[in-house]
Amino acid sequence: MGARDEAPRRDDTIGAARLDAAACAAVDSTGQIGEALGLSEHLRDALWRVDSAGIARLEASGGLIVAGMGGSSVGGRLAAGALGPRLRRPLALAMGYDIPSWIGRETLVLCSSYSGSTEEALATYDAAKEAGAPRIVATTGGPLAQRARADGVPVVPLPGGFQPRAAVGYSLVTALEAAALCGAAPSLRGEVEGAAALAAELAREWGPGGAEDGDAKRIARSLHGTIPVITGAGLTASVAYRWKCQINENAEQPAFASKFPELNHNEIVGWAGAERRVSAVFLEDPQAGERVAHRTDVTADIAAEGAAVVERVSARGETRLERLVSLVLLGDLVSLYAAVLRGVDPVSVRAIEVLKERLAATRA
């Protein structure tokens, strides 16, 4: 039997390993799973925090730029997915030191940095100020909050004590509200409550106290020992990227994200050489339409020729926001259960800390 026909060696005990509260607590030293399960409360609390910032409505014909990095930027990406065809003006991301050179007084810039000290976020704040763009800041404090308050820029006060990636409910709602405030999209406040209620229901089903064969635990076991490639389309493309980042940070393992239809013009050819080391995960929106569903069917069949595992995951919920939130919560829990299965404490991001230390040393 050739190498391509051989599945990677898997730990046979994984399928039987329990992922109950005791098993999770033994690895998850700071309760990251509990933070993920609190998504419902975070969504509701985020609306109050945006209101507390006293942000005035404005007409911004240039749309919205969400500037941030990592877990602080994901809200903008997810907001674009939740809004989809309801966007009236552009919603773009600035993930680096610069903002688009074309922005000015007609473009709202949401500068998001959980710590308030991310050097890229500070640079984009300064660039937006120089361009004369209206700004909103979302942070727990730090130099970013200090600059904003000195400039009279509204600050959405994020709660402290989270890992930035665990504050996804806050960053999502803040981006949605910013889009509504500048006229880039309609308000989704009515959908936030429904999404929060669904998240609470799914947290009970998928949490450590839920069934051992529940979706989150089952998928984590299925993917164990593989390198996941998570694919989405439209609404789910932004969530696929969230899954990739969460698996990277929480489980400390490689993962990659892709999206339809672009992958059908390149990546699909590579599955023949996957040699059973890679798993294929397809995040599906039941409302995406017949052509997307058929494309997923065909692609999943082709990927199965080289993938160790093929998982097809369907979103739940009635509204776009509900369906997006259901997949965000599922992916967060899959990544955290993957960490437990690997014996990795999900709070640790040592590689990022080393990078920041080394970059800071070059400025000294």
Side-chain angles (χ1 to χ4, degrees), residues 261-286:
E262 174 63 18
L263 77 84
N264 289 146
H265 297 268
N266 37 64
E267 181 182 297
I268 191 171
V269 181
W271 281 103
E275 299 183 347
R276 307 295 178 187
R277 293 182 176 88
V278 181
S279 54
V281 182
F282 298 94
L283 304 184
E284 302 181 57
D285 176 7

Side-chain angles (χ1 to χ4, degrees), residues 157-176:
L158 302 180
F162 289 108
Q163 291 294 311
R165 59 191 181 277
V168 62
Y170 292 96
S171 60
L172 169 58
V173 169
T174 301
L176 288 173

